[in-house]
Amino acid sequence: VQLQASGGGLVQAGGPLRLSCVVSGSTLDHLAVGWFRQAPGKEREMVSLISRSGASTLYSDSVKGRFTVSRDSARNTVYLQMNNLKLEDTAVYYCAAVESPTPDGIFHASRLYRYWGQGTQVTVSS
């Protein structure tokens, strides 16, 4: 299973950006997916999670109300719509996936994820 994250870039504070995570080698219907990020000098943190059914989602407090995670099974792609971006959102964003035994299960800990994308840089400027 391979994950390809894309969509990062340079954006002004307050602007939007949409990240994509394309899954190959498996079907998205078998996988729970998470978005994580890591800023320079900081530990990796969870941003958003989505179950393989799409019915369960979770957001970190820092992005709740601004970010939306979604999935398109036909395209085998998970999206992270980021609105009202802040300087503190600057980081490398990673998507990760794991086979989920239940349709609505989500996985909080990054160590539980088996497959990782290469990361995409998001830089928010003032």
Side-chain angles (χ1 to χ4, degrees):
V1 178
Q2 293 186 327
L3 282 68
Q4 180 73 39
S6 63
L10 176 63
V11 62
Q12 281 194 323
L17 208 57
R18 189 178 77 159
L19 305 183
S20 299
C21 177
V22 179
V23 177
S24 60
S26 180
T27 174
L28 196 55
D29 292 340
H30 295 164
L31 302 170
V33 175
W35 285 98
F36 298 83
R37 67 186 182 187
Q38 187 166 20
K42 294 187 177 181
E43 293 189 354
R44 184 168 53 193
E45 64 173 345
M46 184 276 290
V47 176
S48 182
L49 311 173
I50 187 166
S51 64
R52 76 177 208 220
S53 69
S56 297
T57 59
L58 185 72
Y59 300 91
S60 67
D61 288 343
S62 61
V63 308
K64 197 175 299 181
R66 300 187 296 120
F67 290 13
T68 303
V69 63
S70 62
R71 49 186 287 139
D72 184 336
S73 294
R75 289 181 167 82
N76 239 24
T77 301
V78 174
Y79 303 99
L80 185 67
Q81 178 66 44
M82 306 185 295
N83 295 328
N84 190 22
L85 281 161
K86 303 178 179 181
L87 297 179
E88 53 264 40
D89 293 320
T90 294
V92 178
Y93 284 71
Y94 300 90
C95 59
V98 63
E99 289 90 352
S100 177
T102 59
D104 297 331
I106 54 176
F107 302 87
H108 296 64
S110 61
R111 68 180 186 279
L112 297 175
Y113 287 80
R114 183 176 180 183
Y115 310 107
W116 288 81
Q118 83 289 0
T120 185
Q121 175 71 47
V122 172
T123 303
V124 184
S125 65
S126 58

